[in-house]
Amino acid sequence: MDDAATGSVRRAVLKDGRLEQALFLTVSGRLPPRDWLAGLMAHETLPPDDRMMLLAGRPAILRADVGTQVCACLKVGAKTIVRAIGEGALDIDAVGAATGAGTSCGSCRPEIARLIAGHAKPKVRDAA
Ligand code: FES
């Protein structure tokens, strides 16, 4: 999978359902955890959910309470995005860098913008 928006490339080779090789190239330097990939290679047959996460380039830990799905491409929920906003991701690209949301087809970017507008803390101005 090539993602022109982020400049990332993800490749996986499965043989008889087993993950044999994986290649991830990024401009951002955000790579999937090595231990997670090693665990995927330990499966005799890679489960369908793990195949999806492999394409997304991130482990399935986001299955926890992530809120309503906002980004269908990368399976990112509203709570994950709001958490990223609270940690300082104050524009769509920053949210994308933090969560992956909005970095593929881009159709979720307006919803990400709404979440930023609704959850970003206003900047404190100097009183002077
Ligand atoms: S739905 Fe978010 S990038 Fe496609």
Side-chain angles (χ1 to χ4, degrees), residues 70-73 102-108:
V70 172
C71 179
C73 291
T103 61
S104 188
C105 77
S107 66
C108 61

Side-chain angles (χ1 to χ4, degrees), residues 45-110:
T45 301
L46 194 62
D49 284 351
D50 285 332
R51 290 179 187 219
M52 295 291 290
M53 295 299 113
L54 184 60
L55 283 174
R58 64 187 65 235
I61 56 172
L62 297 178
R63 288 182 190 146
D65 184 14
V66 297
T68 304
Q69 183 172 290
V70 172
C71 179
C73 291
L74 293 170
K75 311 288 185 226
V76 181
K79 288 183 179 180
T80 301
I81 293 170
V82 168
R83 190 175 317 118
I85 294 166
E87 293 170 356
L90 299 178
D91 61 43
I92 295 171
D93 290 336
V95 168
T99 68
T103 61
S104 188
C105 77
S107 66
C108 61
R109 291 172 71 91

